[in-house]
Structure formats: C-alpha cells, structure tokens
Amino acid sequence: MVLSRLGGRSRIAALTAVAALALGPALAGCADDETPSNEGTPVVPPAPTSPPAAETGRLADPDAAKAEITKNWTAFFDPKTPTAEKVKLLENGERMRPVLGAFEGDKNAAMTSAKVKGVQFTSPNNADVTYDLLVAGNPALPDSKGTSVHQGDVWKVSQKTLCGLVQLSGATVPGC
C-alpha cells in the first residue's frame, strides 16, 4: 500500500488531505446518482483543446493529448481553481458537483495539489496517469495511479480517480 511507505509527518498530512476529501462531501449531503442537483442549469462544455480521438482506434495527436491531460489534472487538483471549472475537468462533473462543492473553504483541501509525472494511453479515450499527490507542495502520496477519460472533447480526471482518493480514508460518500 502506498501509505505504508510514508514517514510519520507525511503520512499524517496525506491522511488529513484524504480525510478532507472524504468527509467534506459526506457532511455536505451529496445528491444521489438518480437525482441531478442542477436541473434546469444549462451546461456549456469547454472548447476542445486537443483533437478528438480518431475513430480509427488511435489518437490523432498523442503529444497534444498528454499536454491537455497534464494541464487539466494540474488545474483540477489546484486549490485555486473554482469548483465551476473543476466540474468541467471531471468525468461526469455535473453529477459530481456536490462532492466538489464540499471542498470549498476546507483548509486541508486548500493545501492539496497534484503533479502529473506520466501518461500512458490505454485506448483513444482512456489513459493511465501517474502523479504525486502533494500537501503544501510536498509529496504525500508519491507515484499515485489514476485515470483520465476523453469525454465531450475534453481529457478529464476520471470519476474513478476522485472516488478512489475519497474512499482511501474508508469513508462512504454518495456518488462514489
């Protein structure tokens, strides 16, 4: 397990960050998957920043896709990025809005960010991402594994990745 490799202070910081990710949404009372909390709210997708996946089964421009994944993951995990922007960078972001909104104002979440270290495509619409989860700029969960999905012409952090981080603390959160 990744946490077993961490030292005392880094381990506490990592667990605190993961607990903030997990407990904030639980206390916020997230909506279930069947009841969208944004009914009537128009969703405007961001303009595509990389070519869509070719229908031939391969990426049109893997370098552009890697750059977009890195940019979007960095922005998604940046505590300064507003929730409305994070929704656009997360797979099924509108459905996950309550989870994301629960992090606003949390001091531990405000210290958590990520640094992408590698991207490996598993299909034209999916990629494995290796990243460091940082707390106050220091690696708390180094060499973490996540996934990115190409959804709506945008490379996004997968819902599976976010839920994996939330569930790492052992909490059960609606929507994950």
Side-chain angles (χ1 to χ4, degrees), residues 31-34 37-38 92-99 159 175:
D32 66 345
D33 290 346
E34 260 90 55
S37 61
N38 63 330
N92 303 319
E94 282 300 330
R95 187 173 58 188
M96 297 297 289
R97 184 182 287 272
V99 176
Q159 180 177 337

Side-chain angles (χ1 to χ4, degrees), residues 59 62-71 73 116-123 126-131 145-148 155:
L59 290 169
D63 291 335
K66 282 183 183 183
E68 182 180 347
I69 289 168
T70 300
K71 178 180 139 271
W73 271 61
V116 174
K117 296 172 72 176
V119 176
Q120 185 70 38
F121 293 100
T122 57
S123 78
N126 295 284
D128 290 336
V129 179
T130 302
Y131 66 101
K145 304 292 183 192
T147 56
S148 188
W155 280 100

Side-chain angles (χ1 to χ4, degrees), residues 70 73-79 112-116 131-135:
T70 300
W73 271 61
T74 300
F76 179 81
F77 285 101
D78 185 338
T112 305
S113 60
K115 178 182 177 187
V116 174
Y131 66 101
D132 288 345
L133 186 68
L134 308 171
V135 176

